[in-house]
Amino acid sequence: MESFALHSLSTSTTTTTTTFSTSLCTRISLLHRLPKPLSITKSSPSIPSLSTIRSSAQKPLLFSAFHTRNKTFDSKYRILALDTKSSDNPLSYSSEKPTPPQKGAKLIPLLISVSIGLIVRFAVPKPIGITPQAWQLLSIFLSTIAGLILSPLPVAAWAFLGLTTLLVTRTLSFTTAFSAFTNEVIWLIVISFFFARGFVKTGLGDRIATYFVKWLGKSTLGLSYGLTLSEVLIAPAMPSTTARAGGVFLPIIKSLSLSAGSKPGDSSSTMLGSYLIQSQMQCAGSSSSLFLTAAAQNLLSFKLAEELGVMIPNPWISWLKAASLPALISLLVTPLVLYKLYPPETKDTPDAPAVAAKKLETMGSVTKNEWTMVGTMLLAVSLWVFGDAIGIPSVVAAMIGLSILLLLGVLDWDDCLSEKSAWDTLAWFAVLVGMASQLTNLGVISWMSGCVSKNLQSLSLSWPAAFGVLQASYFFIHYLFAGQIGHVGALYSAFLAMHLAAGVPATLAALALAYNTNLFGALTHYSSGQSAVYYGAGYMDLPDVFKLGFVMALINAIIWGVTGTFWWKFLGLY
């Protein structure tokens, strides 16, 4: 959903230069058609950044020609694909040629999505105790969810059609239907996208990750741990796993892999790239689980829990305390387990620290904007941690941080306007949250949870057993979902209500479901935005993605289940 572009190139030294006097579009397309991305060499001078190219659109540009031998270049941000139609969004990311925009709705997904709602509304008998308004709302909601999975239209466009249907059928009033657009959590998520853009634009995230490569990168396993630790450090202030994947870690992994001769879509991919990609993809779930502000779905889960009356005091600290032990153990174990299950052919990477050091030298000293980004994020995280004590809500803390970045010029308003993913998310998040909230208010969620509760009681399951069954069901049903947010919007409220009806302690149920939402992000190549980004790099075969996704899901279930049983008991969650 999010798209991030990687700017600014460094090329290998060469004696031949070529003058390009064509238009900007032609220059960018020439860059795009380069046969292979290159990585940095010791004598690599930097060429003009993309912003320089833009400002010189009417002037001839000189670029050093690229060696065709095994020399490669590394970049502060790598251009993987550029589309002149989206040039207003300099952080747009894609690993392949951009496809033409979709024209109109896809007929078969449209018919299936609409049919599901119509069947529920007119063919399925309305249960006793459910009002006609509530049943009609449920049918529209199910049709909306089906469309999110089948994608007859882009997600936000389909959500808008669902919102329009609510008004046309008079299921909800205009005020009620649009009430979620003023939701604090949704605006916190939107501002989080702007923070992520700041990390990419300033190069701060790239610099942090490169330092860890320099310190720990002498072996492949150490390299993996270095990348994982850098993501843990960045995660609380960069609340988007896809942004971290596409804007920071994939370019670094590709550069290191190519330097070691490990190429995507080639038998050499297993030398280094496949392992690093798989390890980073699997670790992203635990790093996102560690902090409340590490992923958008965490904030949405908290909001939906509040709708059901589950109020967690001091949420940032409560989340961190409960997640800390199982998440850290998982982060320590995952690279090592994958090293055994999915071993890289290259065990030692003695050149990686030197490559990282050269890259840091090329990047130069820490810029004013990077220091500003560091200070602003420290302030924002501090307010997220201590805000409840001083009366500053999380969204206000985020607004203060964004205001500082705008005032000091780290971001400008065009950056915010160009962050299409943020505004897209605002549209469809608000629709899903609004529908879920009204389903709760009209009694549909309590009716569904009551039905499940009766079935669980008939099986004479204790609440711990019911907890295990419901958590496993919530996890593995994600095979049917493309993305984590849609899963949360569709099922989080219902499953939380089932937990409560089964007698599971409220805080434990809310947190465990939210953690699960992050952990199933690496189940398949379509499970999350970051998985799609990593798979699109071309280093992993699809059967390996599914096999390792399932195996690591079981391992994480054991780690979180066993560790969580004792840790959460110690914390008094049950």
Side-chain angles (χ1 to χ4, degrees):
M1 304 277 321
E2 304 137 323
S3 72
F4 291 84
L6 312 162
H7 298 303
S8 181
L9 302 168
S10 296
T11 65
S12 56
T13 303
T14 159
T15 59
T16 307
T17 60
T18 305
T19 303
F20 294 87
S21 57
T22 52
S23 66
L24 174 62
C25 296
T26 304
R27 283 186 222 113
I28 293 177
S29 66
L30 285 170
L31 284 174
H32 176 68
R33 289 197 297 270
L34 287 174
K36 298 176 184 178
L38 306 169
S39 70
I40 209 163
T41 60
K42 291 186 178 180
S43 58
S44 301
S46 60
I47 65 169
S49 65
L50 185 58
S51 60
T52 306
I53 297 173
R54 283 189 179 135
S55 64
S56 309
Q58 303 304 322
K59 303 176 183 178
L61 294 179
L62 293 177
F63 292 88
S64 296
F66 297 94
H67 281 300
T68 56
R69 284 172 278 179
N70 285 334
K71 293 185 179 179
T72 54
F73 75 88
D74 187 26
S75 60
K76 185 175 182 181
Y77 297 116
R78 180 180 311 283
I79 296 180
L80 297 179
L82 287 173
D83 182 0
T84 54
K85 290 183 180 179
S86 61
S87 60
D88 60 328
N89 183 2
L91 298 181
S92 67
Y93 168 85
S94 173
S95 60
E96 298 178 355
K97 255 186 182 177
T99 55
Q102 180 180 321
K103 301 292 185 181
K106 300 174 186 175
L107 183 58
I108 294 179
L110 173 66
L111 292 176
I112 295 174
S113 302
V114 172
S115 297
I116 289 173
L118 292 175
I119 290 171
V120 172
R121 175 65 180 87
F122 297 106
V124 178
K126 179 180 71 66
I128 298 174
I130 299 295
T131 66
Q133 178 193 11
W135 194 246
Q136 185 161 287
L137 174 60
L138 177 62
S139 67
I140 297 172
F141 178 74
L142 293 176
S143 185
T144 302
I145 294 300
L148 296 182
I149 298 172
L150 300 175
S151 299
L153 284 172
V155 173
W158 184 254
F160 183 80
L161 289 183
L163 187 65
T164 303
T165 305
L166 290 174
L167 300 177
V168 170
T169 59
R170 298 183 179 180
T171 305
L172 298 176
S173 66
F174 185 91
T175 302
T176 303
F178 278 83
S179 60
F181 281 86
T182 61
N183 187 286
E184 292 183 3
V185 172
I186 293 175
W187 280 100
L188 177 57
I189 293 170
V190 170
I191 295 173
S192 297
F193 279 99
F194 302 150
F195 286 162
R197 174 173 279 256
F199 266 87
V200 175
K201 182 179 179 181
T202 62
L204 178 60
D206 194 28
R207 186 184 295 274
I208 292 171
T210 304
Y211 268 113
F212 276 95
V213 172
K214 178 183 176 182
W215 296 331
L216 301 173
K218 290 185 178 180
S219 68
T220 300
L221 187 59
L223 197 57
S224 178
Y225 277 114
L227 293 170
T228 299
L229 289 173
S230 61
E231 178 159 10
V232 171
L233 184 63
I234 295 170
M238 193 175 184
S240 168
T241 48
T242 310
R244 298 197 296 270
V248 177
F249 293 103
L250 180 60
I252 292 174
I253 292 173
K254 288 193 72 173
S255 175
L256 292 168
S257 300
L258 290 169
S259 296
S262 181
K263 303 174 185 178
D266 187 82
S267 58
S268 64
S269 63
T270 56
M271 290 177 62
L272 184 64
S274 297
Y275 167 73
L276 290 180
I277 289 281
Q278 184 66 239
S279 178
Q280 199 68 17
M281 185 173 82
Q282 293 294 340
C283 288
S286 292
S287 62
S288 298
S289 299
L290 190 54
F291 304 101
L292 175 61
T293 51
Q297 60 267 16
N298 298 346
L299 301 167
L300 180 59
S301 298
F302 252 59
K303 181 59 187 177
L304 294 176
E306 289 179 3
E307 296 286 348
L308 289 175
V310 181
M311 308 298 293
I312 300 176
N314 202 353
W316 206 94
I317 293 295
S318 298
W319 178 289
L320 177 61
K321 285 167 54 180
S324 57
L325 188 59
L328 290 175
I329 291 176
S330 180
L331 288 168
L332 289 173
V333 168
T334 297
L336 183 59
V337 169
L338 285 170
Y339 193 76
K340 300 296 184 182
L341 295 178
Y342 196 56
E345 295 174 17
T346 301
K347 307 296 183 182
D348 297 312
T349 54
D351 295 333
V355 172
K358 181 63 179 178
K359 181 173 182 178
L360 289 169
E361 181 182 335
T362 304
M363 294 172 74
S365 59
V366 180
T367 65
K368 176 185 174 183
N369 281 350
E370 287 178 272
W371 282 120
T372 302
M373 196 75 202
V374 170
T376 302
M377 289 298 94
L378 288 175
L379 174 63
V381 172
S382 298
L383 290 176
W384 286 333
V385 174
F386 303 109
D388 283 356
I390 59 178
I392 298 180
S394 296
V395 67
V396 176
M399 292 173 68
I400 292 171
L402 178 59
S403 298
I404 292 173
L405 296 179
L406 291 171
L407 285 170
L408 298 181
V410 177
L411 293 174
D412 55 47
W413 193 241
D414 281 342
D415 290 323
C416 298
L417 292 177
S418 299
E419 191 56 53
K420 297 177 182 178
S421 296
W423 305 113
D424 186 70
T425 300
L426 170 65
W428 70 281
F429 263 35
V431 173
L432 281 181
V433 171
M435 287 187 182
S437 176
Q438 291 305 310
L439 285 172
T440 301
N441 293 340
L442 294 174
V444 175
I445 299 299
S446 59
W447 166 75
M448 293 174 62
S449 63
C451 293
V452 173
S453 177
K454 290 179 182 177
N455 290 329
L456 292 176
Q457 289 174 358
S458 67
L459 297 174
S460 301
L461 294 179
S462 61
W463 77 255
F467 174 80
V469 170
L470 291 171
Q471 290 288 331
S473 300
Y474 183 76
F475 188 99
F476 286 107
I477 204 172
H478 192 63
Y479 277 110
L480 304 177
F481 283 87
Q484 294 157 292
I485 299 300
H487 190 142
V488 174
L491 297 178
Y492 183 88
S493 295
F495 268 82
L496 180 55
M498 295 175 199
H499 278 74
L500 299 179
V504 180
T507 300
L508 174 64
L511 289 174
L513 283 173
Y515 297 149
N516 240 343
T517 300
N518 291 290
L519 296 175
F520 57 46
L523 200 56
T524 67
H525 63 301
Y526 57 83
S527 292
S528 60
Q530 69 269 20
S531 290
V533 167
Y534 285 132
Y535 175 71
Y539 278 96
M540 297 184 294
D541 294 329
L542 198 56
D544 290 333
V545 175
F546 276 84
K547 179 180 68 177
L548 291 171
F550 181 78
V551 171
M552 291 309 300
L554 296 179
I555 292 173
N556 273 317
I558 295 171
I559 293 172
W560 282 76
V562 174
T563 307
T565 298
F566 297 99
W567 182 239
W568 296 334
K569 179 68 174 178
F570 174 76
L571 294 177
L573 295 183
Y574 68 94

